[in-house]
Amino acid sequence: MTALGTGDPRREAGAATQYFAAQPRSADQVRTIQVRLHGRDVSVVTAAGVFSAGHVDAGTAVLLNEVPSPPAGGDLLDLGCGWGPLALSMALAPPAATVWAVDVNERARSLVRQNAAALGLLGVSAVAPDEVPPAIRFGCIWSNPPIRIGKEGLHALLLTWLPRLSPGGSAWLVVQRNLGADSLHRWLQHELAALAEVERVGSSKGYRVLRVRARLSDLTMPAGG
């Protein structure tokens, strides 16, 4: 996850913790911004206490520029959805798919629901992690993962969700190079060696784009590794 750009690491760290809270402490002041998603100029609502509330952040923009169109049907996942730029882009691309927008932040999920409704995207389901039915497998995962939750939390998160790719499905992750993208790449290759191929498929503006492609044989790994 990108830095907040305040110039003060203490302020950045304090503000960033709100993104990972179920209920952010900051006032819920909703505002409308204009963004471009999947080739369309759209209006969306955002609020304080949600990651990159004022714009599509640089890492997410890099990911959106690198990923191919998601599958036209089935179940897709935006892991750590924030106000929804990835989930909304997914839903704008293949209307027949079900897009699961997952975030621990209740405010973020509410914003995704409002944005999806305003755009007429009926296939978006914004839910807490434990509300995704355990039997669901994903044909595609897009994520700007929350690096700032720490290595242990990040590893647990990825080992919970990446093994839920359907056989042959792909996860696309964007990680800032100076926040450990290359070490994460090596770790994923090691941890998922029997289950998936992991490769760097893009690099732009200080970010790496990693693809985790599930092998055609069925993935089986206990949740959390």
Side-chain angles (χ1 to χ4, degrees):
M1 189 163 287
T2 57
L4 304 183
T6 63
D8 184 336
R10 292 169 298 178
R11 288 179 60 195
E12 291 180 3
T17 59
Q18 293 196 68
Y19 309 146
F20 319 130
Q23 296 181 329
R25 297 186 304 274
S26 58
D28 186 3
Q29 297 177 333
V30 175
R31 58 174 168 152
T32 300
I33 62 172
Q34 307 298 314
V35 296
R36 189 166 182 82
L37 300 175
H38 195 61
R40 287 177 52 179
D41 294 317
V42 298
S43 297
V44 297
V45 291
T46 69
V50 173
F51 176 61
S52 194
H55 61 287
V56 176
D57 73 283
T60 296
V62 167
L63 184 62
L64 288 171
N65 285 334
E66 293 285 345
V67 293
S69 294
D75 292 285
L76 314 177
L77 172 65
D78 173 3
L79 180 59
C81 61
W83 55 261
L86 293 178
L88 299 174
S89 296
M90 280 181 155
L92 287 166
T98 297
V99 178
W100 296 87
V102 171
D103 205 298
V104 297
N105 187 318
E106 180 180 335
R107 186 176 299 171
R109 300 194 302 268
S110 175
L111 292 168
V112 173
R113 295 186 194 108
Q114 294 176 64
N115 289 327
L119 294 172
L121 302 175
L122 303 181
V124 176
S125 183
V127 296
D130 60 1
E131 293 178 313
V132 180
I136 286 180
R137 295 292 185 90
F138 304 101
C140 186
I141 297 173
W142 290 358
S143 183
N144 183 350
I147 299 298
R148 294 184 185 277
I149 63 175
K151 183 180 293 187
E152 183 177 350
L154 177 67
H155 287 180
L157 178 76
L158 295 177
L159 289 183
T160 295
W161 293 97
L162 294 180
R164 294 183 66 171
L165 283 167
S166 58
S170 290
W172 301 77
L173 313 175
V174 64
V175 183
Q176 198 167 4
R177 180 179 56 80
N178 63 9
L179 291 182
D182 294 336
S183 61
L184 181 65
H185 182 186
R186 292 189 294 270
W187 178 83
L188 287 169
Q189 285 180 315
H190 178 266
E191 292 295 322
L192 301 178
L195 306 173
E197 298 175 354
V198 184
E199 60 182 328
R200 190 175 83 196
V201 294
S203 183
S204 178
K205 300 179 180 179
Y207 292 87
R208 308 290 203 215
V209 177
L210 308 179
R211 180 174 66 184
V212 179
R213 182 164 53 190
R215 302 190 190 281
L216 292 177
S217 58
D218 193 33
L219 289 176
T220 54
M221 178 187 288

